[in-house]
Amino acid sequence: MPDSLSKRLRPIHRMTFGIVIAWTALIAMSLSWNVYNEYRHAREIAVNTARSGFNKENAFRFWAASHVGVYAPTDERTPPNPNLKQIPERDIVTPSGKKPALMNPAYVKRQMMSEFGDLRGNEGNITSLKLLNPDNAPDEWENAALLKFEQGAKEMFEFTEIDGYPYLRLMRPMFIKEACLKCHAVQGYKVGDVRGGISMAVPMNPIMAAQWDLILGAGVSHAVIWLFGCAAIVIAYRIIRKRAEERLSDEIAVREAKEEAEFANSAKTRFLHNMSHELRTPLNGIIGFSEMMRIGAFGPLSERYKEYANDIQSSGQHLLDIISNILDIAKLEQGSLTLEEKPVNIDRMAVPCMRLTQKKADAAEVALSLEVPEDLPHLLADERRMKQIVLNLLSNAVKFTPPGGRAEVSAHLGEDNAIILKITDTGIGMAPEDIPRVLEAFVQAEDIMVRSREGSGLGLPLSKRLAEMHGATLDIDSEPGKGTTVTVSFPPERTLPPREPGVTFQKSY
């Protein structure tokens, strides 16, 4: 059983393993998608932060440009801007005698970043390809972006590293407005020209740190879901395994019972065959000697002893018939009885049966008749078994018909092109409630169990089973004192193509 169970569970193991792999892949894909979305969201935050910073820087530039600039007290860190000497109001004196310095937006931005860059967070830089102040020169990345702006680009950004740390670098162009010309007209700019650009550098570490908490939470939730799924798969596997074990146990029990039944049937068959052989040999001797006595082979016999010889021969033949019927019943029970099917001519098949029964009919003073149309199609059947059916039914008809009665074998084509075979008698009949009983082996109806007519109780059950092997039905219609009609109806598919038209003929015996 363990080996059989292992073979039975092998596909279940493969299926369970496949489900676990598929479930794991599904959870992994879901987690990967969540991580990707969080990573993409972090980049979107960085880009939006840089754009917001650009807008603030640009707003400050526009405000300062609209006022030409701002003035701040001059000192060592804020000297007068030599790049603004073309501005008439660059150098002024306050009523108190101080000389403040004029600071344009780039000057203010550079000083703010140098002194308060840590407070501002995101780094911003105003630069250009045409510089008033060399200190505002672009780096390599900014220079490439400025060249793109000259070609019409509206924005440039890239995720890169600065001093070994991850950053988002974003740059947008600055366009010359009327207020800008006060400082930059000397460079040849006109309103609408690209003046340069404002670049922003956003550090990614703080943003990724915030997103990492979300990614970690997604990882934990996915791990919990994966564990619950695996637990459900394991539970389902155990249930399936238990059912497989129970089913295998049931199959083994059924197989063992079948083997026991087959062994018992085989033993029964061997016993019946052995018994048949052991009984047939002496019975054939008895029948042979009684026949020799009857014909006077041992000398003349009186009528009384001739009658004894006839009784011995009849009883021996009856016992042989019982043995043959028992063997056939056993074969039917085991399913080992097979049909040798071929086209059967009903009238030619029935004539030998009538002749074999004629002697019993004459002794019982019962008239026999056969009525079969000459043009009745052939029947696809086992001719030997068909004769067995007719002989059994006709013998019963003669056996239970009083002197002066009649027994008839007839056949005709039904409405559905099916062949109908009937054995009718004018005998003593039987009660309708007894009909199911007489179709059971070794059982006879109570009204007909008189010594003069007793039989083996196998003829009707055997005939019914043989008819069913042909796909036919056997029905009995009977009433006490009104005779019996046994109808064997064959299925239409057993009716072969019709013969040449002829006439109906009747034979009497």
Side-chain angles (χ1 to χ4, degrees), residues 461-477:
L462 182 59
S463 298
K464 184 175 186 298
R465 296 291 296 275
L466 292 174
E468 289 172 347
M469 286 187 68
H470 287 81
T473 58
L474 187 148
D475 300 303
I476 300 176
D477 183 19

Side-chain angles (χ1 to χ4, degrees), residues 353-363 366-368 508-509:
C353 298
M354 303 291 287
R355 289 174 178 166
L356 288 172
T357 315
Q358 186 65 55
K359 185 177 179 180
K360 292 182 180 179
D362 291 343
V366 175
L368 297 183
S508 296
Y509 296 85

Side-chain angles (χ1 to χ4, degrees), residues 61 104 106 110 125-147 149-150 171-176 184 187-189 193-199:
R61 183 177 70 87
N104 65 343
R110 185 171 64 255
N125 184 42
I126 298 176
T127 185
S128 174
L129 295 174
K130 294 180 181 181
L131 297 169
L132 286 175
N133 186 350
D135 292 340
N136 294 328
D139 61 19
E140 183 179 351
W141 185 85
E142 291 171 334
N143 189 75
L146 290 170
L147 292 174
F149 296 154
E150 294 290 337
M171 192 172 188
R172 283 184 169 185
M174 297 184 302
F175 297 95
I176 293 294
H184 298 286
Q187 295 177 285
Y189 288 114
D193 289 347
V194 177
R195 156 74 180 87
I198 300 176
S199 69

Side-chain angles (χ1 to χ4, degrees), residues 365-376:
E365 300 180 12
V366 175
L368 297 183
S369 64
L370 173 64
E371 186 173 351
V372 180
E374 277 189 346
D375 60 352
L376 185 70

Side-chain angles (χ1 to χ4, degrees), residues 301-339:
L301 294 177
S302 65
E303 291 300 321
R304 182 179 179 183
Y305 284 101
K306 285 183 180 180
E307 185 177 346
Y308 289 160
N310 284 334
D311 289 342
I312 293 171
Q313 185 179 15
S314 176
S315 297
Q317 188 61 50
H318 178 64
L319 186 55
L320 282 177
D321 292 341
I322 290 176
I323 293 171
S324 297
N325 287 340
I326 290 175
L327 287 176
D328 285 340
I329 288 289
K331 289 180 180 179
L332 285 169
E333 292 294 336
Q334 296 171 8
S336 60
L337 188 65
T338 57
L339 300 178

Side-chain angles (χ1 to χ4, degrees), residues 368-441:
L368 297 183
S369 64
L370 173 64
E371 186 173 351
V372 180
E374 277 189 346
D375 60 352
L376 185 70
H378 285 184
L379 178 70
L380 181 63
D382 185 322
E383 185 169 3
R384 175 169 171 265
R385 298 303 177 183
M386 287 294 299
K387 287 180 179 179
Q388 196 171 356
I389 292 173
V390 173
L391 276 172
N392 282 337
L393 298 179
L394 189 58
S395 296
N396 277 348
V398 171
K399 185 189 306 182
F400 297 109
T401 299
R406 177 176 53 84
E408 179 184 83
V409 177
S410 64
H412 66 276
L413 200 62
E415 294 181 358
D416 57 353
N417 204 38
I419 292 178
I420 310 298
L421 176 66
K422 287 188 176 183
I423 290 83
T424 306
D425 65 62
T426 59
I428 62 176
M430 70 183 84
E433 60 269 19
D434 290 329
I435 292 176
R437 296 183 62 243
V438 299
L439 292 174
E440 299 176 14

